[in-house]
Amino acid sequence: MIVKKPKLQPPSFAPFPPAWLWLMDEAIPQLVKSEYSPRESWKDKPFSKEDAHFFFKGIHELSELFTEERPKGMPAYFQHPKYRSAYLLYFLPLQAAKFLTLFSLHPAAFEAALDHGRKNGILRIADLGSGPGTASLSFLLLLLQQKLKTGEQLPQIELDWFDTNESIMKDGKALVDQLSNCFPKLRGRVHVNIHVTPWWKSPTLLAQKELSLTFMGHILNESSAPQRDSSSFWKMILEQTGGGGTLLVEPAARKPSQILSFLRNQFFESELIENDPTRLWGPCLHSGECPLTEGRDWCHFSIPTQIPGEWFKGFSEALSTERQWVKFSYLWLTSLQYRSQRQHPSARRVISDSLSQGPKPTVLLCEPQTPGRWTSPTRNSIYRGDIVNI
Ligand SMILES: C[S@@+](CC[C@H](N)C(=O)[O-])C[C@H]1O[C@@H](n2cnc3c(N)ncnc32)[C@H](O)[C@@H]1O
């Protein structure tokens, strides 16, 4: 038996590109200060500790709303400026850290999106329930790190954002514009199209435009599509998305994670995607029934990380939630043309922390229908998300 190198705990894990600090510590605080300061005279001055104190109230309140199981009729919190500023300052970096983590866990998916964009001349991304475009901004930060050959340019990038709140998308667009103006690699190459509409209308509005990537970040937990429309929505969006495929990210909580498991089963059962594990970038290694769709356990991951940024650190401390981890559940479907690598038949994803106190860890493994239980023959630590060969 070989225990493979951990797959969800990369050994030299550094997903934060250099432009991260510019965005999180300079551009966002300055945007918040100029758009959301209650007094005109404050607006031109640099973001200070007093500002952090002032805006923290909204961060604290929004964090309470987000940590509770989402109420049924989730309030439209972005209608309130206090919560838009709170999201930009604290939740945007937190969620962006998750997207960057996922890009670095699945580099082939990121490459597929880029390759598709290069071949088509346009790299088009649909960001559904975009908020301030967290996923798109994370993608751009990583693109800035790409090594280009001499004379090579990135393709034209079109970001199609769909959200019911226009103001938060406008804030995000201002950040994308600043980012692309500040960094020559992106200058003149990025365009944001704002669509103020529910996410399930996106395929119709995008008509026949081919996508290199679709993001749905932290949205299914708060808003469900009308039953009547949802299967046609999924059919259209999956057909329309080439390149890097469709990435759904949700909080690590039971309900949203089980929604993802349910959707995944449906996609395979209804043959919206063919029954083959190469149609998933992750986390699943098989295309049988998800073993965690119901019940006590659910499929989620915690990755150790230190999210950089002075203001983020201060807000985390004030919330008493110093972030040593990013936690999420996710489902990343490939497109038809770009598939994931087939894994060895004995490879299994670990889907629990160690269940035993003894020196040899016992863990649950992802297998069709029912989780497998497995005790490692060695004393090596095994983490949730690792891939082991049994
Ligand atoms: C938690 S935020 C996530 C924002 C962003 N995707 C991220 O990961 O940071 C949820 C977003 O979904 C939007 N939203 C809620 N219901 C929606 C709907 N039916 N259609 C489109 N957007 C919706 C909200 O306005 C908000 O911007």
Side-chain angles (χ1 to χ4, degrees):
M1 194 244 34
I2 308 153
V3 177
K4 281 179 108 182
K5 259 191 192 161
K7 273 286 155 61
L8 278 179
Q9 314 267 350
S12 57
F13 195 60
F16 298 99
W20 173 275
L21 281 181
W22 172 85
L23 180 65
M24 305 306 176
D25 271 352
E26 291 179 39
I28 293 180
Q30 214 47 52
L31 176 92
V32 167
K33 175 113 179 170
S34 63
E35 293 295 319
Y36 292 98
S37 285
R39 293 206 198 132
E40 277 306 312
S41 59
W42 293 7
K43 293 192 173 178
D44 311 327
K45 307 205 174 77
F47 194 87
S48 65
K49 285 209 165 122
E50 288 70 40
D51 296 307
H53 185 73
F54 174 81
F55 288 108
F56 179 71
K57 193 164 180 288
I59 294 177
H60 186 247
E61 287 177 21
L62 200 51
S63 129
E64 300 275 295
L65 187 70
F66 284 159
T67 46
E68 285 167 19
E69 185 80 0
R70 300 288 206 268
K72 227 185 173 157
M74 182 79 171
Y77 48 89
F78 278 155
Q79 282 178 6
H80 200 303
K82 177 163 63 168
Y83 298 135
R84 293 202 297 281
S85 56
Y87 202 89
L88 292 163
L89 285 170
Y90 183 73
F91 295 93
L92 190 157
L94 180 62
Q95 314 297 35
K98 299 178 191 175
F99 286 108
L100 283 169
T101 301
L102 281 161
F103 299 157
S104 91
L105 293 170
H106 297 289
F110 182 86
E111 283 301 327
L114 193 51
D115 187 63
H116 182 263
R118 282 193 170 118
K119 286 183 177 147
N120 280 13
I122 293 184
L123 194 161
R124 185 179 297 279
I125 296 180
D127 194 337
L128 314 187
S130 64
T134 317
S136 309
L137 278 161
S138 313
F139 186 87
L140 294 178
L141 287 179
L142 202 56
L143 262 190
L144 280 173
Q145 253 190 326
Q146 289 299 302
K147 289 210 167 58
L148 300 178
K149 292 186 205 123
T150 317
E152 190 193 5
Q153 288 198 319
L154 289 170
Q156 206 61 34
I157 299 160
E158 291 284 326
L159 303 174
D160 280 282
W161 292 358
F162 297 82
D163 201 291
T164 41
N165 187 285
E166 184 174 16
S167 306
I168 195 73
M169 287 194 283
K170 283 187 166 167
D171 288 339
K173 182 175 172 358
L175 292 171
V176 169
D177 290 346
Q178 276 195 54
L179 184 77
S180 43
N181 283 332
C182 274
F183 293 88
K185 229 186 222 175
L186 293 177
R187 196 169 296 144
R189 312 204 75 73
V190 190
H191 189 249
V192 180
N193 307 304
I194 284 180
H195 308 269
V196 186
T197 184
W199 53 266
W200 52 84
K201 297 201 174 156
S202 52
T204 320
L205 287 166
L206 286 171
Q208 300 305 316
K209 289 177 184 154
E210 201 179 330
L211 301 164
S212 300
L213 199 53
T214 293
F215 292 125
M216 291 186 78
H218 311 97
I219 172 80
L220 294 173
N221 195 28
E222 327 195 332
S223 120
S224 50
Q227 277 303 316
R228 182 166 56 83
D229 286 352
S230 66
S231 61
S232 60
F233 160 78
W234 290 113
K235 185 173 177 344
M236 286 196 278
I237 201 77
L238 297 180
E239 278 176 5
Q240 218 164 344
T241 310
T246 304
L247 170 60
L248 292 82
V249 183
E250 289 295 325
R254 174 159 41 180
K255 186 179 142 217
S257 159
Q258 292 188 339
I259 293 176
L260 292 183
S261 299
F262 172 80
L263 280 173
R264 170 203 177 279
N265 285 348
Q266 264 203 336
F267 294 153
F268 283 130
E269 274 163 28
S270 60
E271 296 178 4
L272 267 186
I273 58 173
E274 72 202 90
N275 205 291
D276 189 306
T278 64
R279 288 304 310 274
L280 300 169
W281 294 114
C284 336
L285 305 187
H286 65 85
S287 58
E289 196 179 318
C290 171
L292 298 181
T293 310
E294 291 174 338
R296 213 167 45 109
D297 297 326
W298 63 97
C299 180
H300 64 285
F301 302 97
S302 325
I303 312 290
T305 193
Q306 293 278 348
I307 300 177
E310 181 197 338
W311 299 115
F312 183 83
K313 184 168 187 292
F315 294 134
S316 301
E317 282 167 4
L319 286 171
S320 311
T321 57
E322 271 193 79
R323 300 277 176 178
Q324 312 285 350
W325 305 83
V326 282
K327 298 183 181 184
F328 52 81
S329 40
Y330 78 105
L331 177 65
W332 198 338
L333 308 166
T334 74
S335 63
L336 255 181
Q337 313 95 313
Y338 296 83
R339 309 289 190 101
S340 66
Q341 233 181 7
R342 198 172 291 286
Q343 296 279 340
H344 192 275
S346 64
R348 298 285 185 282
R349 176 84 70 198
V350 175
I351 49 170
S352 72
D353 300 321
S354 179
L355 304 172
S356 59
Q357 297 295 328
K360 294 181 181 172
T362 298
V363 289
L364 297 181
L365 300 180
C366 183
E367 296 192 335
Q369 289 186 339
T370 314
R373 200 182 168 96
W374 177 77
T375 300
S376 165
T378 72
R379 290 166 177 254
N380 294 348
S381 303
I382 297 187
Y383 299 98
R384 183 187 286 276
D386 287 356
I387 295 178
V388 294
N389 276 346
I390 59 168

